[in-house]
Amino acid sequence: MLKRKLAISILALLLLVSFAFAGGQGEKGKITLFVATTVDIMIPRDGYITQPFLTENPNVKLEWVPINIADASTIGMDARIASGLPVHFYHDYMSRAGKFAVPKTEENQAIWALDLSKYIDDLDDYMPGVLDPFWKDGKIYTIPNASLIVGQLLNLSVMKKAGYKPPPVEEWTLEEFVKCAQKTKAAQIPDIYATLMFAENRSGDWMYMGWLSSFGAQLFDGGDYSKTIIDSPEGLKVFEFWKALQNTGFIPYDAAVMNDDHAIEYRNAGRLAVMGDRAADFNSPIYQQSLIDSGMIKEPYQTAFYPYPKGPTVEKTPMVTSYELTVAFDVGTEEEKAAAARLVWHFTNTTTQTYQCNVLSKFPTRKSVADVDQAWWREVKALLMANGTLDVGGNLGCYDGIRGAMFPQLQKLFIGKASPAEAVKLYAEALNKVLDEDQ
Amino acid sequence: MKTNKAYFFLLPAGVFFVVFTLTPIIMMGALSLFETNYITSEFVGLRNYIDALTSPDFRQSIVNSLFYCVFTITLGTFVPLAVALTAYRYSNAYRDIVRFAFYVPSLASGVVIANAWKWIFDCRKGLANYLLSVAGIEPVMWWGHQVTAIGIISLIVVNLWMGHWIILYLAVLTTVRKEVVDSARIDGANWQQIQTKILIPLISPWVLFIMLLEIISTFQIWENIYLLTSGGPANTTATVVYNIYETGFLRSQYGTASARSVILVVIVLGLALAKNRLEKRN
């Protein structure tokens, strides 16, 4: 009886092994590329990427590997690499993907990125300066996709209720912002705030880093990433301003324990006069109707997109941008490497970026992408051209660490555990530690 | 022959233990000697341990954990004891009701319970601040202060385990010989004297045992912090385990996180040894 059970068990095991083996073989004669992407990046792969790529590379099979980024960390990719599972390609926001765009070094023996300059021949189609931060010793290990642009979303309907009319975009100054905030507060509209900051987690940086531009503060000195220069009089002014926002009640007093969920809810429900936000067509009737349908608002509101306001000594306010990056890994045969590099091209080419700009409200990094035929889009593009971009170290492999250095100091600032001067010092120390470790 | 059979039956559990417990601990020990984010790795010897012991964040997480212990020991050890002693005085039916009532919360999903508490203590929309406003009291930033945030999280954790401890206390109390209590009564002892002079001294090893379990589990509180405060504000609610999670998974410093885990293993092992000694004394 026991022998029979044993024989059945062995047979079942053999069957399982053979199925598993067959599963890993793929179709005969084809190479399989393991393509890791995060689940929330919404490029429709089939029409824009998969189909053209497979038509061009009929000998390749794509195995999509969804990477979970629920806690915003790189643990999904890290675990895959540490466990030795195959991966040829990675596409994600720059805060995570940048970590993997690294060449082979003595310390880096796990996985390293492919030099794409050998495989992609239309790099001259990129807008001037866009690729500059990504070149390392004459090699390029990642290619940026279309980007998000962050500025300030002005809720004109809230402002009207508060009795404030914003000036034209070129006259949007700190003084005007304070006027707007004071009027909004004085109007005492229930549950409406002048603006918002949140510091429970690292996710809020994209919506408040723009204030650095308002005061002329910078994280890095002209591309020198060896140490930060935020611990400056301008940097201190930013932290003093943030504390003043809390003290005056222009932001909710519990900003230290607020997170993304609150920010999105406040924005969608039209409860902020001004909010740091990405450029998008928030006035579109479809979007406004969706807010009404979901019960967030009762009537549509009007918005305008401005750059961060100019401080007294500031000529222009560089804007925060956020790219998605594509990385091909230097693994497998030459045929696999060439296919992975080609996939990078399909992820970032003119067709894909055109889709991203038209449907996902992004802005291209390629010159050949035609302007979106919408007034708001052209206005935002003009703002970007006029103000330039703020260097937040997004091209660095340690960008995730850079992002993570801010929110603990903001928490200390908002709960009174650190003064603005202490908070900016602590932030500089934390940033320098991240940069040192990355050297 | 009998011994061989015993080993055979122990084999599955043994394999499970070696594969899923012992091997990861050994790998963690090895990883703690490297500075690694899984992409770049460098052997750094004991530097991660030195970093851990000198890191303000890690040291604060140990202090925080001890702070949690104040709450969890008070609420998790003595409140169930008081409830069990009260229930012990009454009929079996009453005890069953108590067991059921206090055990129910542990059947619910931890995430659901955490979110319910999050809403109760939300600054603007929460029930707690609403009740305060009715009484004309200013709203409190419950999750923004160390004492209130740790107090609430401890309450949630304790609430989940309270039913277990009440059942355990009641079981232990039933082992106290009825004659002892009866003779004390005949000698004129009142209920308070019976509790403090007879029952509590007799079950005190169990009280200490539960206290130690509370301390061990307190060092490992993670999910409620993850769901409610993310360790903040300013790291004032992060326990040792949350600090390890943050270091490893959010900052990709796996070597440092491993060294901190080894330190946690040593702390917990020390407490577990103390627990074993107590068990032997029992």
Side-chain angles (χ1 to χ4, degrees):
Chain A
M1 187 63 183
L2 195 69
K3 276 183 183 172
R4 202 175 145 194
K5 279 185 178 169
L6 195 69
I8 291 169
S9 304
I10 292 170
L11 195 67
L13 198 67
L14 282 173
L15 273 170
L16 267 175
V17 170
S18 57
F19 275 124
F21 184 70
Q25 284 294 292
E27 289 168 48
K28 235 182 177 178
K30 280 194 170 184
I31 49 172
T32 303
L33 284 190
F34 289 86
V35 183
T37 60
T38 51
V39 286
D40 67 336
I41 292 175
M42 299 177 294
I43 303 174
R45 295 172 194 149
D46 289 349
Y48 285 81
I49 297 164
T50 314
Q51 211 175 313
F53 173 81
L54 291 179
T55 308
E56 186 188 286
N57 301 274
N59 62 328
V60 178
K61 178 176 176 258
L62 296 179
E63 193 75 53
W64 296 96
V65 180
I67 299 292
N68 189 336
I69 51 160
D71 64 359
S73 75
T74 59
I75 184 66
M77 270 298 276
D78 292 345
R80 187 168 182 90
I81 291 164
S83 58
L85 290 169
V87 60
H88 294 86
F89 177 97
Y90 183 42
H91 176 240
D92 197 353
Y93 290 110
M94 63 185 189
S95 57
R96 281 178 295 272
K99 173 179 165 183
F100 303 93
V102 286
K104 187 180 182 184
T105 61
E106 211 169 289
E107 293 84 36
N108 172 16
Q109 301 293 328
I111 196 163
W112 49 92
L114 192 64
D115 172 18
L116 295 165
S117 65
K118 289 192 231 165
Y119 300 91
I120 296 178
D121 54 11
D122 61 351
L123 293 176
D124 56 348
D125 184 36
Y126 280 83
M127 291 186 186
V130 164
L131 294 183
D132 290 357
F134 301 103
W135 286 100
K136 283 177 190 163
D137 303 323
K139 295 172 179 171
I140 193 158
Y141 297 100
T142 181
I143 301 283
N145 223 322
S147 76
L148 297 172
I149 294 175
V150 181
Q152 288 194 320
L153 188 72
L154 274 54
N155 189 320
L156 303 176
S157 306
V158 169
M159 287 179 172
K160 196 175 174 188
K161 277 185 205 160
Y164 175 80
K165 189 172 184 280
V169 70
E170 58 276 9
E171 289 166 32
W172 182 234
T173 59
L174 265 179
E175 204 183 328
E176 283 293 335
F177 169 79
V178 172
K179 248 189 239 172
C180 162
Q182 282 168 340
K183 286 208 168 181
T184 307
K185 196 183 168 197
Q188 293 188 321
I189 311 166
D191 232 6
I192 298 269
Y193 284 90
T195 188
L196 184 89
M197 287 181 75
F198 68 87
E200 190 193 283
N201 57 32
R202 68 183 60 201
S203 300
D205 59 343
W206 57 272
M207 57 170 287
Y208 54 69
M209 290 305 274
W211 287 115
L212 266 64
S213 298
S214 294
F215 292 88
Q218 287 182 314
L219 288 189
F220 305 107
D221 188 8
D224 175 8
Y225 299 112
S226 59
K227 64 178 171 51
T228 180
I229 55 163
I230 189 65
D231 190 8
S232 61
E234 292 82 14
L236 176 59
K237 275 182 196 162
V238 177
F239 278 75
E240 284 171 344
F241 175 75
W242 286 340
K243 187 64 189 170
L245 286 179
Q246 188 195 28
N247 288 344
T248 47
F250 291 166
I251 58 172
Y253 67 99
D254 58 332
V257 292
M258 292 180 84
N259 58 32
D260 326 37
D261 295 340
H262 296 104
I264 302 299
E265 184 193 328
Y266 271 69
R267 191 270 311 278
N268 287 350
R271 289 165 57 187
L272 301 168
V274 178
M275 178 176 169
D277 212 331
R278 55 169 293 196
D281 189 8
F282 289 106
N283 292 332
S284 104
I286 297 171
Y287 176 72
Q288 292 292 328
Q289 190 57 46
S290 73
L291 295 178
I292 293 169
D293 293 344
S294 66
M296 297 285 286
I297 53 173
K298 288 194 176 109
E299 52 190 43
Y301 51 77
Q302 279 296 305
T303 64
F305 185 81
Y306 279 29
Y308 271 76
K310 284 182 273 194
T313 57
V314 170
E315 296 277 305
K316 57 182 183 176
T317 47
M319 303 170 91
V320 174
T321 55
S322 176
Y323 298 109
E324 292 156 25
L325 296 179
T326 42
V327 182
F329 293 109
D330 192 354
V331 293
T333 62
E334 186 50 45
E335 204 181 357
E336 285 172 51
K337 289 178 198 174
R342 198 65 194 151
L343 191 59
V344 168
W345 183 82
H346 279 276
F347 258 85
T348 54
N349 67 14
T350 310
T351 313
T352 307
Q353 288 206 19
T354 302
Y355 174 85
Q356 288 186 296
C357 295
N358 278 283
V359 182
L360 305 177
S361 306
K362 294 192 175 184
F363 293 82
T365 49
R366 280 179 177 271
K367 289 183 275 190
S368 55
V369 177
D371 277 358
V372 173
D373 188 21
Q374 287 183 43
W376 75 268
W377 193 94
R378 286 194 296 271
E379 282 164 19
V380 174
K381 191 180 173 188
L383 287 177
L384 182 68
M385 294 298 165
N387 289 281
T389 58
L390 180 71
D391 182 3
V392 289
N395 57 309
L396 300 177
C398 61
Y399 178 51
D400 198 35
I402 291 173
R403 292 188 73 193
M406 175 62 98
F407 77 97
Q409 324 315 330
L410 269 187
Q411 290 180 351
K412 286 175 196 154
L413 182 75
F414 287 146
I415 63 167
K417 260 193 120 180
S419 66
E422 288 164 337
V424 73
K425 266 202 166 50
L426 288 169
Y427 178 47
E429 279 169 24
L431 260 186
N432 283 334
K433 193 167 178 246
V434 172
L435 296 167
D436 281 348
E437 280 165 4
D438 192 50
Q439 303 274 313
Chain B
M1 188 60 191
K2 268 187 176 174
T3 320
N4 286 347
K5 264 191 178 173
Y7 282 129
F8 178 75
F9 285 114
L10 281 174
L11 196 63
V15 169
F16 196 85
F17 173 75
V18 170
V19 173
F20 294 108
T21 306
L22 197 58
T23 311
I25 289 177
I26 294 167
M27 286 171 75
M28 182 178 75
L31 200 63
S32 71
L33 304 174
F34 288 83
E35 187 179 302
T36 178
N37 63 1
Y38 282 143
I39 306 302
T40 58
S41 298
E42 187 192 347
F43 181 77
V44 292
L46 295 176
R47 201 174 76 196
N48 286 331
Y49 289 91
I50 297 164
D51 281 355
L53 296 172
T54 54
S55 153
D57 279 2
F58 187 63
R59 283 191 309 200
Q60 194 184 344
S61 72
I62 294 177
V63 174
N64 293 345
S65 298
L66 294 173
F67 197 17
Y68 274 102
C69 286
V70 174
F71 284 95
T72 54
I73 289 173
T74 314
L75 296 169
T77 310
F78 299 117
V79 173
L81 177 64
V83 173
L85 282 168
T86 312
Y88 175 73
R89 201 177 168 188
Y90 297 100
S91 66
N92 278 341
Y94 179 78
R95 284 182 214 171
D96 287 344
I97 292 168
V98 169
R99 282 192 193 104
F100 175 76
F102 282 92
Y103 198 79
V104 163
S106 62
L107 300 174
S109 151
V111 176
V112 173
I113 288 186
N115 278 311
W117 284 95
K118 191 170 192 168
W119 167 74
I120 290 170
F121 290 101
D122 186 276
C123 276
R124 278 171 302 276
K125 295 181 288 185
L127 180 67
N129 275 353
Y130 171 74
L131 295 175
L132 289 182
S133 72
V134 170
I137 301 169
E138 285 286 300
V140 176
M141 193 161 63
W142 299 99
W143 303 112
H145 300 290
Q146 186 180 30
V147 177
T148 47
I150 286 184
I152 297 165
I153 293 172
S154 302
L155 189 66
I156 299 168
V157 173
V158 164
N159 192 33
L160 285 174
W161 280 93
M162 197 173 283
H164 294 86
W165 301 144
I166 289 171
I167 288 171
L168 185 70
Y169 277 135
L170 280 171
V172 175
L173 282 169
T174 52
T175 64
V176 176
R177 288 171 60 193
K178 208 169 171 285
E179 295 91 321
V180 179
V181 178
D182 287 344
S183 57
R185 262 202 198 114
I186 291 164
D187 288 343
N190 61 27
W191 176 241
Q192 195 173 345
Q193 285 168 325
I194 290 170
Q195 280 184 98
T196 53
K197 308 278 183 193
I198 297 173
L199 293 175
I200 292 176
L202 280 174
I203 65 165
S204 63
W206 287 98
V207 177
L208 277 174
F209 170 72
I210 289 173
M211 204 184 278
L212 273 171
L213 282 183
E214 282 289 348
I215 295 171
I216 293 172
S217 62
T218 298
F219 272 76
Q220 298 172 343
I221 296 174
W222 179 82
E223 68 272 28
N224 284 298
I225 298 170
Y226 177 79
L227 291 164
L228 297 169
T229 65
S230 304
N235 203 35
T236 51
T237 58
T239 52
V240 175
V241 163
Y242 191 83
N243 178 274
I244 292 167
Y245 158 76
E246 205 176 29
T247 310
F249 294 162
L250 296 184
R251 296 188 207 143
S252 299
Q253 297 169 349
Y254 299 106
T256 317
S258 298
R260 291 175 187 196
S261 303
V262 171
I263 293 170
L264 177 66
V265 167
V266 171
I267 294 171
V268 172
L269 211 60
L271 290 168
L273 286 174
K275 181 179 77 95
N276 281 350
R277 287 190 70 175
L278 270 178
E279 273 176 344
K280 276 181 191 158
R281 241 178 69 185
N282 284 352

